[in-house]
Amino acid sequence: MGKIFCMMGKSSSGKDTLYQQILDYEGLLLKSIVLYTTRPIRSGEKDGKEYIFADEDMLARLTEAGKVIECRSYHTVHGVWKYFTVNDGQIDLTRQNYLTIATLESYLKIRDYFGEDFVMPIYIEVEDGVRLRRALEREEAQSNPRYAEMCRRFLADMVDFSEEKLAAAGITRRFFNEDLDEVRREITAYIRKFI
């Protein structure tokens, strides 16, 4: 049976970069799970690649059909944005291993849905000052920077990934992203143990 590897960490911890590099590594043959979101598309993103961009009506139809595995709502300065994982045929653990980006909350719900033996956490950690600088640089590059939302996310991450919540979720292994090449090698070796 296949595994789902859930990569998670606070905003600007490098998980998006690591996710793409590990997904592209041919030796692992991992497949992505594209999440859904109701937030607006950012410059450079493509519908169906980073996310499937949905509206509230689509979310309601998927929920009614029993296809939503987990859904998170974020009260942002721009309104409520939702992120959700859908059982839409993308995931077949009898044939494939997967890599996805998750929050701690979504990791737990995916683990509950598929079973603890099939869902593995990959927690990325970076010093907060480094994360804040990265977040600011990323936001400055946007055509319409959303600094207030960047700050809200940074502060929310302190609560969402608190030491108490990580311990309660059984997250004991951490991957420190101080050197991108080194942490990528560590994560790749970790994944190889399970596939």
Side-chain angles (χ1 to χ4, degrees):
M1 290 292 283
K3 306 282 188 201
I4 298 173
F5 296 94
C6 290
M7 186 171 286
M8 60 192 128
K10 296 173 184 173
S11 58
S12 300
S13 61
K15 61 187 175 292
D16 292 324
T17 300
L18 285 163
Y19 166 82
Q20 197 57 57
Q21 290 179 353
I22 291 168
L23 192 62
D24 290 344
Y25 182 67
E26 293 177 9
L28 296 176
L29 300 173
L30 297 171
K31 189 172 179 184
S32 66
I33 300 170
V34 182
L35 304 179
Y36 289 64
T37 185
T38 62
R39 79 153 166 77
I41 193 168
R42 293 178 181 156
S43 64
E45 290 180 329
K46 293 182 181 159
D47 190 21
K49 185 173 189 300
E50 289 84 6
Y51 292 98
I52 295 170
F53 293 91
D55 58 21
E56 290 290 337
D57 289 338
M58 178 186 275
L59 174 56
R61 288 192 306 274
L62 290 166
T63 302
E64 188 175 311
K67 294 186 176 283
V68 177
I69 296 170
E70 60 83 27
C71 180
R72 294 151 280 134
S73 298
Y74 298 96
H75 297 270
T76 76
V77 295
H78 303 286
V80 177
W81 292 350
K82 296 179 182 173
Y83 294 80
F84 48 107
T85 306
V86 177
N87 187 358
D88 59 0
Q90 291 183 64
I91 304 168
D92 181 356
L93 292 178
T94 65
R95 301 175 47 193
Q96 186 70 50
N97 293 296
Y98 297 88
L99 182 66
T100 190
I101 295 177
T103 64
L104 189 57
E105 178 186 352
S106 65
Y107 158 71
L108 291 171
K109 289 182 179 175
I110 292 167
R111 186 185 72 183
D112 290 346
Y113 186 90
F114 289 101
E116 194 170 333
D117 292 339
F118 304 104
V119 181
M120 313 307 295
I122 299 173
Y123 181 66
I124 312 296
E125 194 162 301
V126 172
E127 191 273 323
D128 285 339
V130 173
R131 285 193 318 105
L132 187 57
R133 282 190 294 278
R134 288 179 182 175
L136 184 58
E137 288 170 5
R138 181 174 69 188
E139 210 54 46
E140 287 173 336
Q142 296 294 314
S143 58
N144 183 20
R146 299 170 191 244
Y147 296 113
E149 175 57 19
M150 178 202 78
C151 292
R152 184 207 64 80
R153 286 179 60 208
F154 187 86
L155 295 173
D157 281 343
M158 304 300 282
V159 174
D160 294 343
F161 290 101
S162 69
E163 289 301 319
E164 295 78 17
K165 288 184 179 180
L166 290 169
I171 306 292
T172 56
R173 177 75 193 265
R174 296 170 192 231
F175 296 91
F176 295 93
N177 187 7
E178 295 170 351
D179 179 286
L180 190 62
D181 292 333
E182 179 60 30
V183 75
R184 184 180 63 245
R185 282 191 292 272
E186 288 176 21
I187 294 169
T188 301
Y190 171 78
I191 291 171
R192 282 186 190 279
K193 291 180 188 176
F194 297 99
I195 58 174

